[in-house]
Amino acid sequence: MKLLVVEDDQTTREYIAKGFTEHGWTVDVADNGRDGLFLASGENYDIIVLDRMLPQMEGLKVLAALRASENKTPVIILSALDGVDERIKGLKQGGDDYLCKPFSFGELLVRAEILTRRGRVETTESTLTISDLEMDLLSRRVVKNQIEVTLQPREFQLLRFLLEHKDQVISRTMLFESVWDYHFDPGSNIIDVHVAKLRKKLDAAGGASLIQTVRGAGYVLRESA
Amino acid sequence: MFSVSRLNPLSRLRASSLLRYTLLHTAIVLLLCGSALWLVKVYSLGFYQQRQDQFVLEQLNSLASLARSSSESEFVSAVRQLAEENRQVLVVFKSSNGYLGNLNYLPETVPLSPAMGSFWILGDSVLGDSRFQKVRGSRINSRWGPLVLAYNSSDFNLFVSRFTLALYTAMVVVLLVGLVTGFLFSRKVLARLRGINRVTAKVGEGQLAARAPVSHRGDEFDELSGHINHMLEQIEDSVEAIASVTSSIAHDLRTPLSRLRIKLDGYLQKGSAGVEDILEAQAELDTVLHTFNAMLELTKLEYGQGNLEFARCDLADIASKVVELAEPLAEVGEQSLMLEVQQALVVQGNHQLLFRILFNLVENAIKYSPEGSEINIRIDQDSVSVIDQGTGIPESEQEKVFQRLYRLDQSRTTPGHGLGLSLVKVVADRHNARISFENGEGFFAVKLTFQR
């Protein structure tokens, strides 16, 4: 996997580069918009992480130029501009995802991985499984430890999202955005309550508890070690 | 910034509308009065002169017919009698024996009757007045010799000269009064403009509390002042809001930030930090960021930055999603969450924001109601109410709860950043919705009423 980070803040840039390198990615960096556009047009990247307020050429301009030249590389906009209108602007300009600063590296990584997976054939699978849990997307049935678990529609979506991103740490914000489709920080422990409820239902069927809480980060669905 | 006061006094005078308005005003008044007086003069004096001319011609006519029908001696005595008895006319007759009448010469320039002409006489001999005077007369050439008859206009001339003098005096008075009233009037008008100018200059220097003077006349100047003052109030409010947000941020963030500092200090002294320590510090920092973002967002929303996308929003639909999201939270306290749609309510609005504030209200209700109680969302034709069985908000506090970071004493111990109701208020404002509270027997309701 090849990544381009266009970010003028050195600390952030190195933090991202180091993190992705550790996860086996090849990372190129640029500290201004013009270099970023140059690299992005020349090389073949899997993901571009693009800051908005950049010297020499603004992030959204880089993005617009890239999209105008038919370059379809997925772009994650990373910005301190966090208003709903700013997000909309970024996504309308051709961004594939929008992450606000401050951000957690885990979330950026997950988002990048989701974007690289997008477009690959995965919808043909009609069942998602992990350990003793199986979800049938067509009949909307969930079986855990050979016992059928009845889920509310939202719980089903929640579990499906976790299953689709198993072994990845998903933040509360990501869950809220993806499962409920609302873009704000709900602030309270509302996501925790929903996850707890889902976990309780799954655990009631017996077997290993699969939804794990990662303190300070979010949740992960994984086979317990 | 453009400033008149930088110019030298002469240019300043020339630049001033005061001078221009005064002169213009005076010129207009002068022109009007002058024309009026001139018309009076032409009509009244002209009429008088016409009558005099008529009199002269009638006298001449009768003399002419007398000359035809009488002998020379009879005519001469008639002329002499006229000259002596009628003080209104001047007459001179050139007979074969010389000049007869009031004058001792026959003015050759006077035209024949019925034409009239004027000539000069030295009034001394006939008029008892030593000045040269202009008189109007006419001439006949009778059988016995030429005769000129003129109107004795010494009284009339005196009247005309007095009249003219009065006229000029009047014009001078008009000029003076015009200048003075023009000056005063313009000064008054401009004084109000200057008042407004002073205020805008002050505001330019940063004195936002300055206000333009408003009289009780309700004229255009008051309207202008009113608009300016309204504008200033808005600006002042914004500035104040920014100042208060800044100070609240400073105040509210200082506490968690100092806690964070203390924690970091502790790790430093310990020489190491475990995962638990770091997680604690991170949670502290998250609180700060959360409050910070919430405040920024509020300010942005409140001051209309960023265009919100408005669409048709079905509040029953939004409310059912809110219920779905909040239900597990209510279940924790064994509270029941009910949605009661009495009538469909569809408004133009921003779905995300309406969802958020409704969620906020429901979340508050859950947080502040006793275990096992019931929370109702009721929708009717123009409002959404969230009704709970909690203690509610005391009336004395109801205005304050919309303030940034304001929290009721009783709620200080529960988690939250004190911005939820501020957001509700701001979003309601942007949707032209009114918020009202109702403290009832065993229930408390927050009602959002939309304007239809």
Side-chain angles (χ1 to χ4, degrees):
Chain A
M1 287 287 153
K2 207 168 170 192
L3 176 84
L4 172 66
V5 182
V6 191
E7 163 71 65
D8 60 326
D9 179 66
Q10 197 189 342
T11 316
T12 313
R13 192 173 61 236
E14 284 170 1
Y15 172 66
I16 298 172
K18 186 166 165 277
F20 276 93
T21 311
E22 278 169 7
H23 282 81
W25 290 58
T26 314
V27 182
D28 282 349
V29 293
D31 62 1
N32 67 68
R34 207 182 295 162
D35 289 357
L37 180 60
F38 178 76
L39 282 173
S41 331
E43 301 280 322
N44 217 348
Y45 293 103
D46 294 295
I47 296 281
I48 298 170
V49 172
L50 183 65
D51 187 18
R52 274 191 61 179
M53 285 174 288
L54 285 169
Q56 291 185 38
M57 193 172 187
E58 218 236 306
L60 288 188
K61 288 217 178 99
V62 174
L63 182 55
L66 214 53
R67 293 295 183 243
S69 66
E70 302 276 297
N71 188 323
K72 294 197 176 75
T73 312
V75 170
I76 301 177
I77 301 168
L78 189 62
S79 173
L81 303 170
D82 67 338
V84 173
D85 46 321
E86 296 292 348
R87 284 159 170 270
I88 291 171
K89 221 196 272 175
L91 297 176
K92 271 192 182 158
Q93 199 71 257
D96 298 273
D97 204 348
Y98 199 109
L99 190 59
C100 297
K101 287 182 187 172
F103 61 98
S104 82
F105 177 76
E107 183 160 356
L108 179 61
L109 182 66
V110 170
R111 286 177 190 254
E113 283 172 355
I114 291 171
L115 280 178
T116 54
R117 204 178 307 149
R118 194 189 278 174
R120 279 198 233 157
V121 243
E122 57 172 333
T123 42
T124 48
E125 287 179 50
S126 63
T127 50
L128 298 167
T129 50
I130 181 172
S131 183
D132 56 354
L133 175 68
E134 195 177 296
M135 172 180 269
D136 188 328
L137 294 177
L138 297 177
S139 62
R140 300 184 77 82
R141 270 159 48 104
V142 175
V143 175
K144 171 95 169 51
N145 196 23
Q146 289 159 346
I147 295 168
E148 182 164 355
V149 182
T150 319
L151 295 180
Q152 301 286 327
R154 193 69 70 184
E155 290 163 348
F156 185 86
Q157 278 173 266
L158 186 56
L159 182 60
R160 179 180 174 172
F161 188 80
L162 288 171
L163 268 166
E164 280 170 349
H165 305 105
K166 60 185 177 191
D167 298 325
Q168 291 171 331
V169 179
I170 309 289
S171 72
R172 290 170 179 79
T173 323
M174 262 185 98
L175 276 180
F176 193 52
E177 282 182 9
S178 312
V179 177
W180 277 270
D181 200 24
Y182 283 106
H183 298 267
F184 64 92
D185 180 356
S188 70
N189 56 345
I190 187 76
I191 304 301
D192 297 337
V193 176
H194 278 271
V195 174
K197 214 178 148 195
L198 174 64
R199 177 155 45 195
K200 208 172 142 194
K201 279 193 179 178
L202 292 178
D203 288 356
S209 187
L210 297 172
I211 301 178
Q212 293 165 21
T213 308
V214 180
R215 279 199 60 190
Y219 295 97
V220 63
L221 190 69
R222 71 160 78 107
E223 287 180 57
S224 29
Chain B
M1 192 192 81
F2 175 77
S3 165
V4 177
S5 54
R6 248 190 251 152
L7 305 170
N8 67 47
L10 192 68
S11 324
R12 204 179 151 188
L13 191 65
R14 214 179 295 152
S16 166
S17 317
L18 175 60
L19 184 75
R20 273 185 287 134
Y21 287 148
T22 305
L23 290 183
L24 187 67
H25 170 82
T26 311
I28 290 170
V29 170
L30 209 58
L31 191 70
L32 285 177
C33 284
S35 338
L37 291 175
W38 183 76
L39 281 176
V40 169
K41 183 178 168 181
V42 166
Y43 278 100
S44 62
L45 298 188
F47 174 69
Y48 198 58
Q49 192 165 20
Q50 224 176 340
R51 279 183 54 182
Q52 287 176 4
D53 289 356
Q54 213 175 343
F55 182 77
V56 167
L57 292 176
E58 274 168 15
Q59 291 291 328
L60 280 174
N61 269 344
S62 60
L63 281 173
S65 57
L66 186 72
R68 278 195 293 275
S69 62
S70 60
S71 66
E72 185 177 10
S73 59
E74 277 172 336
F75 186 70
V76 164
S77 65
V79 169
R80 189 174 286 145
Q81 199 184 346
L82 183 68
E84 281 167 9
E85 287 176 7
N86 197 334
R87 292 283 297 142
Q88 275 181 305
V89 294
L90 297 172
V91 61
V92 58
F93 171 54
K94 189 181 177 187
S95 71
S96 45
N97 304 326
Y99 291 104
L100 191 72
N102 307 97
L103 300 178
N104 51 5
Y105 77 106
L106 188 87
E108 295 296 336
T109 54
V110 176
L112 272 173
S113 169
M116 300 287 294
S118 38
F119 57 97
W120 290 91
I121 55 167
L122 181 64
D124 199 16
S125 55
V126 278
L127 307 168
D129 188 334
S130 61
R131 285 178 306 173
F132 271 108
Q133 296 202 10
K134 203 177 185 181
V135 293
R136 275 170 72 81
S138 188
R139 166 183 174 139
I140 48 168
N141 291 328
S142 74
R143 189 148 65 111
W144 312 111
L147 180 141
V148 166
L149 190 102
Y151 197 84
N152 179 356
S153 56
S154 64
D155 285 349
F156 178 67
N157 285 349
L158 192 63
F159 173 70
V160 169
S161 68
R162 286 283 163 81
F163 188 92
T164 311
L165 181 68
L167 200 133
Y168 284 133
T169 315
M171 293 299 272
V172 169
V173 170
V174 165
L175 182 68
L176 287 178
V177 170
L179 277 173
V180 170
T181 56
F183 177 77
L184 290 178
F185 174 74
S186 311
R187 200 177 63 160
K188 204 164 179 187
V189 168
L190 290 169
R192 303 189 63 189
L193 268 184
R194 288 225 175 98
I196 295 171
N197 262 335
R198 261 198 299 277
V199 168
T200 49
K202 269 190 198 166
V203 172
E205 287 161 14
Q207 297 179 40
L208 285 182
R211 288 291 177 274
V214 183
S215 72
H216 296 289
R217 268 162 281 183
D219 57 12
E220 291 85 347
F221 284 102
D222 290 327
E223 207 180 318
L224 176 64
S225 296
H227 286 318
I228 290 176
N229 288 346
H230 179 68
M231 190 176 80
L232 286 175
E233 258 149 46
Q234 293 281 329
I235 294 173
E236 214 185 357
D237 280 356
S238 308
V239 170
E240 261 172 31
I242 290 167
S244 93
V245 167
T246 315
S247 72
S248 334
I249 289 180
H251 175 265
D252 224 60
L253 298 189
R254 193 169 285 154
T255 318
L257 282 175
S258 349
R259 275 208 302 263
L260 184 61
R261 221 215 117 92
I262 291 166
K263 276 188 183 138
L264 292 176
D265 268 352
Y267 306 158
L268 206 57
Q269 274 165 23
K270 230 174 22 174
S272 71
V275 174
E276 280 300 310
D277 297 332
I278 294 171
L279 285 173
E280 262 180 43
Q282 201 184 42
E284 205 75 73
L285 201 54
D286 280 346
T287 317
V288 175
L289 284 170
H290 183 74
T291 311
F292 188 77
N293 286 339
M295 304 232 23
L296 279 182
E297 195 182 11
L298 265 179
T299 311
K300 263 193 193 167
L301 272 176
E302 187 161 24
Y303 295 103
Q305 291 175 4
N307 294 323
L308 292 177
E309 282 189 18
F310 272 51
R312 282 167 63 84
C313 294
D314 180 354
L315 278 154
D317 172 50
I318 293 177
S320 70
K321 285 181 178 153
V322 167
V323 168
E324 194 237 63
L325 179 66
E327 197 129 50
L329 209 56
E331 280 168 13
V332 174
E334 288 173 1
Q335 294 152 323
S336 56
L337 204 51
M338 318 278 258
L339 174 60
E340 184 189 331
V341 182
Q342 295 180 340
Q343 209 175 321
L345 174 56
V346 178
V347 299
Q348 272 297 116
N350 182 289
H351 185 97
Q352 293 268 343
L353 288 174
L354 289 174
F355 179 90
R356 268 176 85 171
I357 62 169
L358 203 53
F359 177 67
N360 259 341
L361 292 175
V362 170
E363 199 190 10
N364 271 348
I366 292 173
K367 220 189 274 181
Y368 300 118
S369 326
E371 278 201 6
S373 63
E374 194 176 282
I375 293 147
N376 251 299
I377 305 175
R378 185 177 299 153
I379 296 175
D380 60 24
Q381 79 270 8
D382 65 349
S383 72
V384 183
S385 311
V386 177
I387 305 149
D388 63 44
Q389 295 168 343
T391 45
I393 303 168
E395 247 162 68
S396 57
E397 307 271 313
Q398 287 179 356
E399 265 307 303
K400 295 188 212 151
V401 291
F402 295 126
Q403 291 170 12
R404 302 276 194 283
L405 304 170
Y406 187 84
R407 303 187 69 186
L408 298 180
D409 285 339
Q410 54 176 8
S411 74
R412 293 238 170 245
T413 47
T414 43
H417 47 59
L419 291 170
L421 280 174
S422 306
L423 181 79
V424 173
K425 170 85 172 123
V426 168
V427 172
D429 283 349
R430 292 220 48 180
H431 286 84
N432 282 329
R434 196 164 41 81
I435 306 171
S436 51
F437 298 107
E438 198 185 338
N439 265 323
E441 279 295 318
F443 76 94
F444 175 70
V446 184
K447 190 174 186 181
L448 274 175
T449 311
F450 291 87
Q451 270 174 19
R452 305 245 79 196

